[in-house]
C-alpha cells in the first residue's frame, strides 16, 4: 500500500485560496491513480477530484470544476489540490487517496487513505 500524508489545510476567508499537498511513500506512487475526497460533519465522504497515474487525465466533481485543480509530481511523490474561490460550503476534512489503475470517483475504488486535513472557509 501507499502511505499518504496531507498538509496545507487551514482557515481562509470566502473567495480565498489554499493548496493541499499529499506526500506519498511505499508502493510505487507513479503507478497509482490519486484522488481527493472531503467529508463535512454529518455528511458522507464525497469525491472532489482525481488524476490518473501519468497525470494525463483529471476528473472533478461538478461543484469543483473551474475552482479546483488537481496535479501531481511523480518525481516528488506528491499530489496537489489547488483550491480557488473557496466557499463556506467547501468546509470539510480533505482526504488524499491512492488506488489502482481505473480508480476515479468512488470511495471503494481507493485502498490507501491519508489522515485528512481540515479546511475551514469563513463567510
Amino acid at each position: 500500500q501507499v502511505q499518504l500524508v496531507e498538509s496545507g489545510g487551514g482557515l481562509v476567508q470566502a473567495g480565498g485560496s489554499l493548496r493541499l499537498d499529499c506526500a506519498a511513500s511505499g508502493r510505487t506512487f507513479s503507478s497509482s491513480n490519486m484522488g481527493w475526497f472531503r467529508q463535512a460533519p454529518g455528511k458522507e465522504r464525497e469525491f472532489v477530484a482525481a488524476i490518473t497515474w501519468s497525470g494525463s487525465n483529471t476528473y472533478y466533481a461538478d461543484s469543483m470544476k473551474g475552482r479546483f485543480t488537481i496535479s501531481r509530481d511523480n518525481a516528488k511523490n506528491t499530489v496537489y489540490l489547488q483550491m480557488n474561490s473557496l466557499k463556506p460550503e467547501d468546509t470539510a476534512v480533505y482526504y488524499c487517496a491512492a488506488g489502482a489503475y481505473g480508480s476515479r470517483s468512488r470511495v471503494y475504488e481507493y485502498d490507501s487513505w491519508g489522515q485528512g486535513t481540515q479546511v475551514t472557509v469563513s463567510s
Side-chain angles (χ1 to χ4, degrees):
Q1 289 191 338
V2 180
Q3 287 74 48
L4 305 169
V5 179
E6 303 97 334
S7 61
L11 174 64
V12 64
Q13 289 187 335
S17 298
L18 280 175
R19 192 188 81 175
L20 304 183
D21 294 2
C22 174
S25 61
R27 188 181 76 193
T28 305
F29 170 80
S30 60
S31 64
S32 299
N33 280 17
M34 299 297 296
W36 284 97
F37 291 77
R38 69 185 187 186
Q39 189 165 19
K43 295 187 177 181
E44 293 187 352
R45 192 166 297 190
E46 67 171 344
F47 171 71
V48 173
I51 188 166
T52 54
W53 64 273
S54 64
S56 59
N57 291 296
T58 57
Y59 308 94
Y60 298 92
D62 288 343
S63 61
M64 287 72 166
K65 287 180 181 177
R67 300 191 300 125
F68 291 9
T69 303
I70 188 171
S71 61
R72 66 189 297 161
D73 186 338
N74 285 348
K76 295 183 177 180
N77 281 8
T78 303
V79 63
Y80 308 96
L81 184 69
Q82 177 66 45
M83 305 186 294
N84 299 328
S85 302
L86 284 162
K87 306 174 182 179
E89 51 264 43
D90 293 319
T91 296
V93 177
Y94 284 71
Y95 297 91
C96 173
Y101 176 82
S103 300
R104 192 173 296 184
S105 63
R106 308 295 186 183
V107 170
Y108 64 78
E109 294 174 327
Y110 294 84
D111 57 7
S112 296
W113 293 83
Q115 82 289 350
T117 186
Q118 177 70 47
V119 172
T120 302
V121 184
S122 63
S123 56

